Amino acid sequence: MSTAACAAARGGAAPLRAQSSVGEAGGPDGRGGRGVYAARDLRRNDELARVPFDSVLGAEAAAEALGARDFAGPPQCLLAGALAAAYVGEESCERWRPHALSLDWGLAGERDSLRDHPVERCRRGEIEGDGLLKDTLRQLTEAAGRVSRLAPVDDDLAFRACLLVLTRAFDLSHLRDGLNPALAPFADLFNHPSSTTLPERLQGVPVSGLAVQSTSDGDDLVVRAPRGYDPRCGDELYNWYGNAGYGKTGSVEEWREAEDKFYYQYGFRMW
């Protein structure tokens, strides 16, 4: 669902635009190569987009669609299985196909924003990887094996589905049961802020007021502008994926481990 379509249903001009955030020289920004930007001046808490909950992929709905209600593995495998099944056109997962087709699978010459993800690089043997990265790769490989038994896909597509879930799924259980984890169209386009991308004027905004807000209204997931500032036309809007050691007390080693976990999940460092 495009931002324009979301806004058009309310009869207004689209408040956002999704665009590539790759630089003119062609180098990736380390966050996936896309971002969501304000197309006009906004006010805090403005409604930005609506996404029907029927199009949000959660583990319970995935299990039902895959005929896997007795599946005992991680719920992320169910999401990856349904996402992969939607991508290849399985009828039972048809409602998630538009979202699946909008993602960067990197197959058969498609756009591949995850090619430089550390897990993918370790899988290809381009980097050695420490114990944590190797363990992340092992877990994803095992998950891909489960996915290939849930959906009619090969190992490569199953692995990429797992990596997409790893980098894009988030918790919406505060809005509806059965949505932890969940994949939500449009809502997963927002980048996480980093020290290199956050404008100076926003660096004093508390974390709680910096990110877009996921709220609900009836049968819709409603994405709202941040509560801590008024976005200007051209501003990139952010979501908050995790702390990556932010505010963490303890040893330097513990802080670095938290930062590495974030990096091996999302593929970029926020500091």
Side-chain angles (χ1 to χ4, degrees), residues 6 71 82 125 132 146 156 170 189 192 211 217 228 231 237 248 260:
C6 293
F71 180 75
L132 183 57
R146 294 188 178 101
D156 284 341
F170 51 99
L189 287 174
H192 183 103
D217 181 21
L237 299 174
K248 188 177 182 64
D260 285 344

Side-chain angles (χ1 to χ4, degrees), residues 46-49 186-187 190 212-215 221-225:
D46 272 355
E47 180 178 316
L48 304 179
F186 176 76
F190 294 89
V212 295
Q213 305 170 72
S214 296
T215 65
L221 163 66
V222 181
V223 182
R224 296 188 177 277

Side-chain angles (χ1 to χ4, degrees), residues 1 3-12 47 50:
M1 176 180 296
T3 53
C6 293
R10 305 191 303 276
E47 180 178 316
R50 286 179 175 257

Side-chain angles (χ1 to χ4, degrees), residues 132-147:
L132 183 57
L133 178 55
K134 290 178 179 178
D135 189 54
T136 304
L137 175 58
R138 177 189 59 78
Q139 292 181 50
L140 275 188
T141 302
E142 292 176 356
R146 294 188 178 101
V147 168

Side-chain angles (χ1 to χ4, degrees), residues 105-268:
W105 292 82
L107 304 172
E110 294 176 341
R111 171 190 168 92
D112 189 3
S113 63
L114 293 175
R115 176 176 175 78
D116 292 325
H117 191 288
V119 170
E120 276 284 14
R121 294 189 65 204
C122 187
R123 184 185 184 216
R124 295 194 303 267
E126 295 177 0
I127 56 175
E128 176 67 21
D130 59 13
L132 183 57
L133 178 55
K134 290 178 179 178
D135 189 54
T136 304
L137 175 58
R138 177 189 59 78
Q139 292 181 50
L140 275 188
T141 302
E142 292 176 356
R146 294 188 178 101
V147 168
S148 63
R149 294 190 290 273
L150 289 169
V153 297
D154 61 26
D155 290 343
D156 284 341
L157 199 149
F159 186 89
R160 180 48 66 101
C162 291
L163 188 57
L164 285 167
V165 169
L166 180 72
T167 57
R168 305 183 80 91
F170 51 99
D171 182 4
L172 291 175
S173 60
H174 63 293
L175 302 180
R176 282 203 172 184
D177 293 337
L179 294 182
N180 182 24
L183 288 170
F186 176 76
D188 64 2
L189 287 174
F190 294 89
N191 286 318
H192 183 103
S194 73
S195 59
T196 59
T197 62
L198 193 63
E200 184 176 352
R201 68 181 176 84
L202 300 182
Q203 291 182 8
V205 177
V207 168
S208 60
L210 188 62
V212 295
Q213 305 170 72
S214 296
T215 65
S216 63
D217 181 21
D219 293 328
D220 293 335
L221 163 66
V222 181
V223 182
R224 296 188 177 277
R227 63 169 60 94
Y229 70 98
D230 296 325
R232 299 174 184 171
C233 182
D235 279 352
E236 182 171 7
L237 299 174
Y238 300 100
N239 206 342
W240 189 262
Y241 299 177
N243 287 341
Y246 178 85
K248 188 177 182 64
T249 58
S251 68
V252 172
E253 289 75 18
E254 290 175 322
W255 188 90
R256 286 176 175 166
E257 181 180 4
E259 185 185 30
D260 285 344
K261 284 181 177 178
F262 185 97
Y263 177 47
Y264 297 154
Q265 178 170 359
Y266 296 111
F268 68 94

